[in-house]
């Protein structure tokens, strides 16, 4: 969103009396107080104004949300750079304007809206309310809206966009983020997250219509408009039926004595993971009772992020020990990510990293394809995808087995890659990021923790029938395709100018427009900056991937090496220490270490 527009119809005498002395800030305050109909967030701005908190007002009102790799995401609260009723209305108005331009049949095909269970009492803000306002903007403009009647997993929205042939969809969620946050995730007609240039064009459209339209605040339209349909049952039934296409050992699943524990981290996943296990022929996984039901406060964990490992899996692991369950699966609050833990022979638990799970998924999906493909099937028609920041174990498997491997930026998968995959008779995609996101098959073109949970359960069941564990199979995979070790972690930084300064330094390291050629004692072979589109490994120095931010808040490092594990682990740790000392400089930049 850009500069503020003209003031709305408000009592100018009151506003003049409260003038901040800053014309731009005054205009932003006028806009907020005239446009916001949420009493809680309106009072937050009024209180700051009355108490002379001009810096905080400026921080809240003089910068605006922009699309990142996860759509719009920020803390809930008052202000144009926060997630709240008004900014969601503005964003949806911009999306309406852009989609009306792109699709002549927009009002025939419709739009999908889903939401998770987040909420904040102090701002009278919840995912469901934000979803209702999203729907209201579109319904008021005579656009059919497929609005889920209750909370649903994030992957259901892109799946619904494809199944219902809608032009686009929005999921209100902040996924694994802290409880204070919420977000607005946009999917295109192909069921994939929006990429450039759509994101930039939508921002332009938002800038052109920031004042709420008549009807945009009427959240009751969801309950009264004949243009609203509830897709929940149809989408859930179709999803579970499609899931059976990647079930290869139903008989084993039905007979196994292996038990599983599932935690949904106070989110949406419980009901849907139960149904997925049923679709594969399993007995239902044992739920963690304290974490089974939605709770926007995430009261039993410091952070609802499965990447934090054993510290956030404590309740799951203790329940698994009590129930003699050998495998724990954890979906994050919107059920698009997965964590897995397995009890080892010595009684300890191994929590798999995202890259380790990627290796297991890659081996499994390809092995299942080989066992079930027709005699004339061509391995060159098999594709696997991985994100920029993932281990390249899938590339190693692809090189040895002969199938295609592609890299994409996050899960913002390009239309070319999607079309290539969907045109193939046998395409199994798996991908992984820092936060344990996987995609098995092509029914859902986004991270999907529900399908990943049941696929890993079938994998564990099959391996148990061969007297193997997941951890033992992982070692076999490394022995076959080469050891790939990696470490991923992050720092927190809540000051955008600091983040900007750090990246500007990296882009002008040894002079203007000069990237670093060394990191401590380590020589840098190539630099790829997908934000600016620069890639030193390409002949034209241009990145082949779409522009996006690989490093965002929280600041994250990704280090990976492949070869002999015992030789490389020490070297990898030294490399990470050099990267932190030379590039991130946490003490100088006031960065906060990740803490589980």
């Amino acid at each position: 969103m850009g500069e503020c527009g003209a003031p709305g119809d408000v009592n100018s005498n009151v506003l003049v009396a409260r003038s901040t002395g800053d014309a731009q800030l005054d205009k932003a305050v006028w806009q907020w107080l005239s446009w916001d109909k949420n009493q809680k967030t309106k009072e937050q701005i009024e209180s700051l104004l009355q108490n002379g908190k001009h810096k905080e007002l400026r921080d809240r009102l003089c910068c605006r949300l922009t699309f990142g790799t996860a759509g719009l995401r920020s803390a809930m609260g008052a202000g144009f750079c926060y997630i709240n009723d008004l900014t969601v209305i503005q964003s949806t108005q911009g999306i309406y304007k852009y989609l009306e331009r792109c699709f002549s049949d927009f009002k025939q095909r419709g739009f999908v809206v889903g939401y998770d269970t987040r909420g904040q009492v102090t701002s009278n803000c919840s995912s469901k309310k934000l979803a209702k306002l999203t729907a209201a903007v579109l319904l008021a403009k005579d656009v059919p809206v497929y609005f889920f009647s209750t909370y649903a997993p994030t992957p259901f929205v892109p799946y619904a966009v494809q199944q219902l042939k809608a032009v686009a969809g929005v999921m209100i969620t902040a996924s694994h983020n802290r409880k204070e946050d919420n977000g607005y995730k946009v999917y295109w007609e192909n069921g994939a997250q929006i990429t450039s240039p759509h994101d930039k064009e939508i921002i332009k459209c938002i800038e052109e219509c920031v004042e709420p339209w008549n009807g945009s605040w009427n959240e009751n339209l969801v309950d009264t408009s004949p243009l609203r349909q509830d897709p929940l049952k149809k989408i859930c039934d179709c999803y579970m039926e499609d899931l059976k296409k990647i079930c290869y050992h139903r008989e084993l699943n039905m007979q196994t004595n292996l038990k599983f524990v599932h935690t949904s981290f106070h989110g949406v996943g419980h009901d849907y993971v139960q149904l997925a296990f049923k679709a594969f022929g399993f007995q239902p996984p044992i739920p963690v009772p304290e974490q089974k039901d939605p709770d926007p406060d995430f009261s039993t964990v410091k952070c609802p992020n499965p990447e934090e490992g054993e510290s956030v899996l404590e309740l799951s692991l203790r329940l698994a020990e009590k129930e003699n369950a050998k495998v724990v699966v954890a979906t994050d609050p919107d059920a698009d990510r997965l964590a897995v833990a397995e009890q080892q022979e010595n009684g300890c638990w191994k929590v798999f990293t995202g890259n380790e799970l990627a290796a297991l998924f890659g081996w499994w999906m390809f092995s299942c394809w080989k066992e079930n493909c027709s005699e004339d099937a061509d391995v060159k028609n098999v594709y696997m995808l991985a994100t920029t920041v993932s281990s390249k174990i899938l590339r190693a498997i692809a090189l040895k087995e002969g199938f295609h491997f592609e890299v994409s930026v996050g899960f913002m998968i390009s239309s070319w890659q999607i079309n290539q995959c969907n045109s193939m008779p046998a395409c199994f995609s798996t991908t992984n990021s820092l936060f344990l996101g996987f995609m098995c098959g092509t029914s859902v073109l986004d991270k999907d923790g529900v399908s990943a949970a049941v696929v890993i359960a079938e994998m564990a069941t099959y391996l148990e029938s061969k007297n193997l564990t997941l951890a033992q199979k992982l070692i076999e995979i490394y022995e076959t395709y080469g050891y790939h070790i990696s470490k991923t972690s992050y720092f927190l930084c809540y000051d955008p100018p600091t983040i900007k300064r750090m990246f500007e330094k990296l882009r002008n390291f040894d002079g203007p427009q000069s990237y670093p050629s060394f990191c401590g004692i380590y020589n840098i072979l190539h630099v790829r900056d997908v934000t600016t589109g620069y890639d030193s490994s390409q002949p034209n120095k241009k990145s082949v991937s779409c522009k996006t931010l690989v490093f965002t808040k929280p600041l994250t490092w990704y280090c990976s090496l492949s070869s002999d594990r015992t030789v490389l682990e020490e070297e990898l740790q030294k490399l990470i220490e050099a990267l932190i000392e030379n590039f991130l400089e946490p003490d100088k930049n006031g960065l906060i270490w990740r803490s589980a």
Side-chain angles (χ1 to χ4, degrees):
M1 303 180 194
E3 290 294 318
C4 304
D9 182 18
V10 301
N11 188 326
S12 59
N13 292 328
V14 174
L15 291 175
V16 168
R18 298 179 184 173
S19 173
T20 66
D22 180 326
Q24 182 190 16
L25 179 56
D26 282 347
K27 186 160 70 171
V29 171
W30 289 334
Q31 287 181 320
W32 190 271
L33 295 181
S34 61
W35 293 344
D36 188 14
K37 293 186 179 182
N38 180 323
Q39 198 58 37
K40 293 282 190 181
T41 48
K42 193 170 186 177
E43 287 173 358
Q44 289 176 23
I45 297 301
E46 287 176 336
S47 176
L48 291 171
L49 185 61
Q50 290 170 355
N51 293 313
K53 304 286 188 180
H54 295 170
K55 182 183 183 302
E56 186 171 348
L57 276 173
R58 195 171 292 108
D59 291 342
R60 286 175 175 266
L61 296 174
C62 291
C63 61
R64 295 181 179 268
L65 293 171
T66 57
F67 280 97
T69 55
L72 303 173
R73 192 172 289 184
S74 184
M76 291 177 276
F80 291 120
C81 62
Y82 283 69
I83 293 289
N84 51 64
D85 295 0
L86 180 54
T87 54
V88 163
I89 285 173
Q90 292 175 322
S91 300
T92 309
Q93 289 180 171
I95 285 174
Y96 168 82
K97 188 169 184 178
Y98 183 60
L99 293 176
E100 188 181 39
R101 180 193 306 166
C102 293
F103 298 99
S104 59
D105 56 354
F106 181 21
K107 293 186 177 181
Q108 286 73 52
R109 293 171 60 186
F111 192 95
V112 177
V113 179
Y115 52 94
D116 67 10
T117 57
R118 286 177 174 262
Q120 185 182 75
V121 174
T122 55
S123 298
N124 188 24
C125 184
S126 70
S127 293
K128 186 170 186 177
K129 184 184 182 187
L130 297 176
K132 282 188 169 185
L133 290 170
T134 300
V137 171
L138 301 169
L139 291 169
K141 291 293 185 180
D142 298 321
V143 175
V145 174
Y146 298 99
F147 183 89
F148 283 89
S149 57
T150 189
Y151 55 81
T154 287
F156 273 31
V157 170
Y159 182 76
V161 169
Q162 287 188 295
Q163 289 291 312
L164 302 171
K165 296 181 171 55
V167 300
V170 159
M171 177 70 185
I172 306 295
T173 182
S175 192
H176 58 276
N177 275 37
R178 59 184 190 150
K179 67 180 181 180
E180 292 84 2
D181 292 350
N182 216 325
Y184 185 95
K185 197 170 184 180
V186 185
Y187 296 92
W188 200 242
E189 64 169 338
N190 56 8
Q193 295 178 45
I194 58 166
T195 59
S196 186
H198 299 309
D199 53 353
K200 296 175 179 61
E201 293 302 316
I202 290 171
I203 290 293
K204 289 179 185 176
C205 289
I206 293 171
E207 293 171 356
E208 295 168 5
C209 46
V210 289
E211 184 169 0
W213 301 329
N214 291 334
S216 289
W217 281 98
N218 187 7
E219 61 184 274
N220 293 328
L221 280 175
V222 166
D223 303 313
T224 61
S225 173
L227 291 173
R228 182 261 179 157
Q229 296 183 53
D230 177 13
L232 180 62
K233 186 178 187 308
K234 177 180 179 180
I235 292 306
C236 189
D237 290 347
C238 290
Y239 174 92
M240 296 302 165
E241 195 61 34
D242 270 351
L243 203 52
K244 296 175 183 177
K245 296 175 184 176
I246 53 173
C247 175
Y248 298 102
H249 300 279
R250 179 176 301 277
E251 291 298 320
L252 268 180
N253 300 342
M254 294 172 67
Q255 297 167 8
T256 185
N257 292 318
L258 195 61
K259 294 199 287 187
F260 303 90
V261 161
H262 170 243
T263 176
S264 51
F265 277 139
H266 302 290
V268 306
H270 170 73
D271 292 340
Y272 303 100
V273 171
Q274 295 274 315
L275 289 172
F277 270 65
K278 182 179 178 181
F280 266 52
F282 283 111
Q283 291 295 309
I286 303 164
V288 178
E290 301 93 332
Q291 299 174 336
K292 177 174 71 72
D293 298 321
D295 172 11
D297 290 326
F298 307 118
S299 54
T300 66
V301 291
K302 288 184 179 180
C303 174
N305 182 353
E307 185 232 352
E308 301 295 351
E310 196 162 342
S311 63
V312 292
L313 294 173
E314 180 68 24
L315 289 173
S316 307
L317 302 184
R318 302 296 80 81
L319 178 63
E321 290 168 355
K322 177 183 175 183
E323 297 287 347
N324 195 29
K326 298 299 183 185
V327 178
V328 169
V329 291
T331 49
D332 69 339
D334 68 327
D336 71 340
R337 290 173 171 86
L338 177 75
V340 178
E342 181 186 57
Q343 192 173 38
Q344 305 303 293
E345 289 183 1
N346 62 5
C348 295
W349 287 90
K350 175 175 175 55
V351 181
F352 293 89
T353 68
N355 286 324
E356 289 172 337
L357 289 176
L360 287 165
F361 277 121
W363 159 76
W364 176 254
M365 298 304 284
F366 184 70
S367 297
C368 291
W369 176 80
K370 280 203 303 184
E371 290 178 9
N372 293 276
C373 67
S374 60
E375 290 185 4
D376 60 347
D378 188 348
V379 70
K380 293 181 180 178
N381 289 341
V382 174
Y383 280 75
M384 289 194 188
L385 309 178
T387 62
T388 302
V389 296
S390 300
S391 160
K392 296 304 177 283
I393 181 65
L394 295 185
R395 179 174 62 187
I397 298 174
L399 287 171
K400 186 159 187 173
E401 301 294 349
F403 59 82
H404 289 277
F405 171 75
E406 300 287 346
V407 175
S408 66
V409 179
F411 271 80
M412 301 171 74
I413 302 166
S414 71
S415 297
W416 180 87
Q417 287 171 305
I418 293 167
N419 290 334
Q420 285 290 312
C421 286
N422 282 342
S423 68
M424 297 304 170
C427 170
F428 302 109
S429 305
T430 179
T431 185
N432 125 77
S433 68
L434 172 65
F435 300 113
L436 316 181
F438 303 96
M439 180 179 75
C440 300
T442 56
S443 292
V444 178
L445 297 176
D446 197 18
K447 299 177 294 293
D448 184 356
V450 177
S451 63
V454 73
V455 168
I456 205 80
E458 182 172 68
M459 190 192 311
T461 299
Y462 171 83
L463 289 172
E464 188 201 36
S465 74
K466 305 295 183 184
N467 295 314
L468 285 170
T469 64
L470 293 168
Q472 289 168 341
K473 185 62 196 181
L474 180 64
I475 293 172
E476 285 190 4
I477 292 168
Y478 286 150
E479 289 174 347
T480 303
Y481 301 106
Y483 276 92
H484 289 61
I485 62 171
S486 61
K487 288 191 177 181
T488 52
S489 193
Y490 57 82
F491 289 98
L492 295 169
C493 181
Y494 297 105
D495 183 43
T498 297
I499 297 173
K500 182 178 180 181
R501 184 178 68 250
M502 290 173 63
F503 283 101
E504 286 304 309
K505 179 180 177 180
L506 289 173
R507 293 178 180 123
N508 301 276
F509 201 79
D510 296 317
Q513 298 182 335
S514 171
Y515 292 91
S517 55
F518 290 89
C519 179
I521 63 172
Y522 297 96
N523 180 44
I524 296 173
L525 183 62
H526 293 300
V527 174
R528 183 154 75 109
D529 185 343
V530 292
T531 300
T532 63
Y534 174 80
D535 188 342
S536 65
S537 69
Q538 298 297 315
N540 61 2
K541 305 301 181 186
K542 291 184 178 180
S543 172
V544 295
S545 300
C546 61
K547 297 179 183 178
T548 187
L549 286 173
V550 172
F551 292 86
T552 57
K553 185 192 83 175
L555 298 181
T556 311
W557 68 82
Y558 306 88
C559 290
S560 180
L561 293 169
S562 58
S563 187
D564 186 325
R565 186 179 191 117
T566 56
V567 173
L568 292 178
E569 281 182 338
E570 185 177 340
E571 194 69 20
L572 180 59
Q573 185 58 38
K574 291 178 181 178
L575 174 58
I576 290 172
E577 291 169 358
L579 187 153
I580 294 171
E581 178 184 349
N582 292 279
F583 292 168
L584 297 183
E585 301 176 291
D587 293 336
K588 176 182 176 181
N589 292 308
L591 308 182
I592 304 169
W593 280 89
R594 159 197 173 181
S595 63

